[in-house]
Amino acid sequence: MSQNNIIYLDNAATTVVNSEVLEAYNKAKKLYFANPSSIHIPGQEANRLLEKARAQILSLLGVNDYDCIFTSGATEANNLAIKGYCLKHSNRGKHIITTNIEHPSVLEAFKQLEETFGFEVTYLPVNKNGVVEIDSLKSCLRKDTILVSVMAVNNEIGSINNIHEISLLLKNYPTTVFHVDVTQGIGKIKLPYSDIDMFSFSGHKIHGLNSSGALIKKHKIELLPLLSGGGQEYGIRSGTNDVALAVSLAKALRLEIEKIDENYAKVKVFAEFLLKYLSENKDLYEVNSGENPYIVNFSLLNKKASVLVEALSSNGVMVSSTSACHAKEEPISYVVKALGKSDQLAHNTVRVSFSHTNTLDDVKGLVTTLDRLIKELK
Ligand code: PMP
């Protein structure tokens, strides 16, 4: 996507909204503005549309018999799943497991449960490819483990966990609930949603709108509401629903899922082009990412990544160093560090994240600019 003469390759941070999604939002916002909890006719019409969007999302993901709780995004959905489950069921056990490369919205929720609510947390290490080893998880599971949360796709290096294999292992632990943050995988990589007890995602990573997202969960899983109030969203997430936002989320998801194979093939060409350049310049770069074509992450061997990312930006090419959420405060990548790499490499990571809205010319533009700048920079 070349928008306003820029090359935007930071799609793991956020994506440009799809114009069809924006149209659907605007239309629903205008026509179905009524509060879906109101009993008058426009209220009930709005409610029907809300329920239609909910059912469509579940159907697209092949989990018709699950609940879809609309949230303000993956951060809220992760917090609701993790804290909502643990605080409701602490009488069943106080041991919980996650990985050391999760997004902060998972890691910080675990930390809060550990520091404020007395839970014992195991942070699983990942292997050199950024993937959880099944034996490592197996050795940590205990009778009092009530929750395991493992991300499907890492937001910095794109590593993909074997969610199906983990779910098979957890079948032997019926009192352990399995939560997955699918934010960077949904609509891009096929995932076994019906193997998972609860999963979270955001609309703006799939060309939807900011502040849209959902937590999808099995009916029988009970959560402590984090927001008390009027009892909307099955009493779990109170607050007047934004019907149009729900409609936009269903639409964004449908548009991505319908073209998942086509989009993947397109993006693979982009990743291969960039990886070829990186592999031809091993004296300058070390690649940190793997098979997932949506995210290419590399470290600079002898230049500062923050300086390069700023220089690329001044030259019209937008990429990230570490992840966008904490790039300002913390320049070291704990994810790249978790792969067993040096501080020097973890301080100097660059993330290029693609979308099907990009073109091969965007990638060529990146490579030409990158090659010029890396040689110019002191
Ligand atoms: N999980 C992952 C893996 C993410 O990449 C992000 C966004 N960076 C989030 C959760 C949080 O999403 P949001 O900021 O939309 O709430």
Side-chain angles (χ1 to χ4, degrees):
M1 172 207 59
S2 301
Q3 285 230 137
N4 311 323
N5 297 323
I6 64 159
I7 296 177
Y8 184 79
L9 296 169
D10 196 16
N11 292 283
T14 198
T15 55
V16 63
V17 67
N18 183 313
S19 50
E20 281 184 60
V21 171
L22 195 55
E23 250 172 57
Y25 175 83
N26 283 331
K27 192 173 162 201
K29 197 83 201 153
K30 235 177 170 168
L31 294 177
Y32 299 91
F33 65 91
N35 188 326
S37 300
S38 298
I39 55 168
H40 49 59
I41 290 168
Q44 289 314 293
E45 282 172 355
N47 189 51
R48 268 197 294 282
L49 196 60
L50 178 68
E51 293 312 318
K52 199 172 145 196
R54 204 190 301 281
Q56 190 184 8
I57 289 171
L58 294 174
S59 161
L60 283 164
L61 299 169
V63 289
N64 291 296
D65 53 343
Y66 281 47
D67 297 330
C68 167
I69 299 155
F70 289 112
T71 66
S72 61
T75 296
E76 186 190 336
N78 283 336
N79 273 270
L80 178 58
I82 295 162
K83 289 189 244 173
Y85 189 78
C86 292
L87 296 177
K88 178 88 182 176
H89 301 290
S90 59
N91 59 330
R92 294 184 186 168
K94 290 194 91 169
H95 178 236
I96 51 181
I97 301 176
T98 190
T99 82
N100 62 355
I101 63 161
E102 296 294 312
H103 185 267
S105 58
V106 168
L107 283 178
E108 293 299 319
F110 271 80
K111 214 160 114 194
Q112 196 182 28
L113 287 168
E114 187 174 27
E115 291 172 358
T116 310
F117 295 100
F119 280 79
E120 192 186 332
V121 180
T122 299
Y123 296 94
L124 288 175
V126 288
N127 66 19
K128 65 179 186 358
N129 300 319
V131 172
V132 170
E133 301 270 6
I134 197 81
D135 287 341
S136 143
L137 172 58
K138 198 170 178 179
S139 67
C140 296
L141 284 161
R142 309 191 321 211
K143 273 208 176 96
D144 62 339
T145 309
I146 61 166
L147 178 76
V148 170
S149 182
V150 175
M151 70 200 319
V153 176
N154 180 268
N155 46 297
E156 285 191 43
I157 54 168
S159 55
I160 304 171
N161 278 305
N162 192 332
I163 298 302
H164 178 64
E165 189 183 35
I166 296 174
S167 78
L168 285 182
L169 169 66
L170 291 178
K171 279 205 168 44
N172 304 317
Y173 298 83
T175 54
T176 307
V177 157
F178 185 28
H179 167 255
V180 181
D181 176 355
V182 302
T183 309
Q184 294 289 349
I186 196 165
K188 300 185 174 101
I189 308 248
K190 287 180 186 159
L191 293 169
Y193 296 106
S194 59
D195 289 343
I196 311 171
D197 296 316
M198 306 192 268
F199 56 94
S200 324
F201 67 97
S202 267
H204 71 102
K205 311 278 186 186
I206 51 168
H207 301 282
L209 289 158
N210 291 71
S211 299
S212 66
L215 172 65
I216 314 277
K217 69 163 193 68
K218 284 186 174 157
H219 283 319
K220 63 171 190 205
I221 293 175
E222 292 182 3
L223 303 174
L224 185 84
L226 303 185
L227 299 178
S228 307
Q232 291 89 344
E233 300 297 285
Y234 311 98
I236 296 170
R237 201 269 190 178
S238 287
T240 304
N241 293 86
D242 190 332
V243 176
L245 212 50
V247 168
S248 77
L249 187 63
K251 180 116 187 178
L253 189 59
R254 179 170 67 73
L255 294 175
E256 295 307 291
I257 285 185
E258 274 175 0
K259 293 202 167 165
I260 196 165
D261 291 330
E262 191 184 314
N263 292 343
Y264 187 92
K266 190 173 180 192
V267 164
K268 197 156 176 268
V269 174
F270 304 158
E272 281 167 359
F273 190 93
L274 174 57
L275 286 166
K276 181 166 179 291
Y277 164 73
L278 296 173
S279 71
E280 287 165 357
N281 290 279
K282 288 205 169 77
D283 55 326
L284 298 173
Y285 313 107
E286 178 168 317
V287 175
N288 301 316
S289 50
E291 77 211 274
N292 181 354
Y294 279 92
I295 296 180
V296 175
N297 184 304
F298 55 93
S299 291
L300 307 183
L301 297 184
N302 40 44
K303 297 279 160 67
K304 265 189 161 257
S306 53
V307 177
L308 177 79
V309 168
E310 276 179 32
L312 280 168
S313 169
S314 307
N315 283 268
V317 182
M318 310 306 150
V319 301
S320 276
S321 55
T322 73
S323 89
C325 314
H326 49 262
K328 284 213 173 77
E329 302 125 44
E330 180 52 78
I332 195 161
S333 163
Y334 63 89
V335 176
V336 171
K337 198 81 189 87
L339 304 179
K341 303 217 176 190
S342 66
D343 279 5
Q344 155 69 17
L345 291 177
H347 267 296
N348 291 295
T349 67
V350 177
R351 179 186 69 181
V352 178
S353 46
F354 297 113
S355 161
H356 56 85
T357 55
N358 288 121
T359 63
L360 190 55
D361 278 346
D362 289 343
V363 192
K364 287 180 179 167
L366 160 72
V367 166
T368 310
T369 315
L370 179 61
D371 193 54
R372 176 169 57 80
L373 291 175
I374 195 99
K375 287 168 185 161
E376 277 173 20
L377 285 178
K378 290 271 169 345

